[in-house]
Amino acid sequence: MNRIINFFRASIHALFLFITLVPWTVVALLTSVFASGTTMYWVCQRWLKLSIDAAEAILGISKRIHGFENLPLAEKAPAIILVKHQSLWETFAMPAVLPHPLAYVFKRELNYIPFFGWVIASMDMIYIDRKQGAQSFQKMVDQGTRLLANGTWVILFPEGTRIPRGETGKYKTGGTRLAIATGAPVIPVAVSSAKCWPKKAFIKTPGVIDISIGKPIPSIGREPGELMAEVEAWIEAEMRRLDPEAYTNKQ
């Protein structure tokens, strides 16, 4: 019975997202003609926040934030946010809860997704073409430096893709390389989203998703691999604290 109810809830939520995304896309694209990148960000952020609020109202999925006081307070304080990636939920939730504009590092191919991709293509994000190799990273550094100077935080998922609950992906050093190149501190974030919103699952489970924000880690004078090892150690230890039953049988 619970599975049937959750399927019904998920269907309503998916329909709600589609119905609201289409007109929001039109508004966002019209706004992009004359609005600044920051204005565009907050226009789009409102839809993402609406989606997270709808997930709570329709799906019964709420959030609980730990460590919000660890975020830099200054208006233009730079930060590279490195987040555990388990589901689509945190992609929507991070702009909904963090106080600064965020610039995701995206694969350029995502721009071609109807509606959602069209909107992110109109925003001041960092789009990379992995085929360009070192040139692509230099472009990320150039864009990241500009965005950080304007008070926009850069956000990445160091594992690169969504990782099933209770598992650890390979932490890539792109985020720490960017932090070292720009001098920005790294802020690790653990998110237990797969408890309620598993990877590629249509049916979601009511519950509470924990977001835990770690203290800023200075990047100046560090090595990318060594810095990422510290980030990984904090995130994975925190994941075991937030969602211990997912790791019961893990080493």
Side-chain angles (χ1 to χ4, degrees):
M1 179 59 72
N2 285 343
R3 185 172 178 81
I4 294 174
I5 293 173
N6 290 340
F7 177 84
F8 181 67
R9 285 177 160 186
S11 300
I12 294 175
H13 186 249
L15 180 62
F16 174 83
L17 294 185
F18 179 76
I19 289 174
T20 55
L21 177 60
V22 174
W24 216 290
T25 298
V26 173
V27 171
L29 293 178
L30 290 174
T31 303
S32 69
V33 174
F34 57 86
S36 67
T38 301
T39 300
M40 268 297 296
Y41 174 83
W42 291 117
V43 168
C44 297
Q45 185 264 4
R46 293 304 302 169
W47 183 80
L48 296 173
K49 186 176 186 307
L50 178 68
S51 303
I52 294 301
D53 291 343
E56 181 167 1
I58 299 170
L59 300 173
I61 297 175
S62 60
K63 61 185 179 297
R64 182 167 50 205
I65 303 174
H66 315 258
F68 197 84
E69 68 279 2
N70 292 327
L71 296 173
L73 296 178
E75 183 179 348
K76 291 194 174 182
I80 306 292
I81 313 295
L82 299 181
V83 185
K84 178 71 178 181
H85 198 17
Q86 291 190 323
S87 78
L88 184 64
W89 186 88
E90 55 269 11
T91 306
F92 286 14
M94 291 301 104
V97 302
L98 295 181
H100 276 234
L102 301 176
Y104 278 96
V105 178
F106 277 118
K107 293 183 295 183
R108 185 169 293 277
E109 293 81 359
L110 294 179
N111 290 345
Y112 306 119
I113 299 174
F115 300 108
F116 183 76
W118 301 342
V119 172
I120 62 174
S122 69
M123 299 172 67
D124 201 359
M125 299 289 173
I126 299 175
Y127 307 105
I128 59 172
D129 184 348
R130 291 176 177 173
K131 296 178 182 177
Q132 294 181 348
Q135 184 181 353
S136 178
F137 177 71
Q138 185 56 51
K139 188 178 296 184
M140 182 169 73
V141 171
D142 293 342
Q143 290 179 278
T145 300
R146 175 181 58 81
L147 289 162
L148 290 165
N150 292 331
T152 296
W153 292 345
V154 178
I155 182 169
L156 301 93
F157 299 118
E159 292 164 291
T161 188
R162 290 169 290 176
I163 304 300
R165 185 183 182 196
E167 296 186 14
T168 302
K170 178 177 175 56
Y171 280 68
K172 303 174 181 65
T173 59
T176 50
R177 288 169 63 203
L178 177 61
I180 292 166
T182 59
V186 168
I187 299 178
V189 179
V191 183
S192 63
S193 54
K195 286 193 300 184
C196 304
W197 193 310
K199 177 183 178 181
K200 297 183 179 179
F202 180 75
I203 299 177
K204 285 78 176 179
T205 303
V208 179
I209 294 175
D210 287 288
I211 300 172
S212 184
I213 302 167
K215 294 181 179 180
I217 305 172
S219 64
I220 296 173
R222 306 290 295 272
E223 292 295 325
E226 172 253 340
L227 179 54
M228 184 55 77
E230 182 176 345
V231 169
E232 177 180 355
W234 187 90
I235 289 177
E236 293 303 321
E238 190 68 357
M239 290 300 301
R240 284 160 174 76
R241 186 184 74 82
L242 298 177
D243 189 13
E245 66 179 49
Y247 298 89
T248 300
N249 298 317
K250 306 287 182 179
Q251 294 296 323

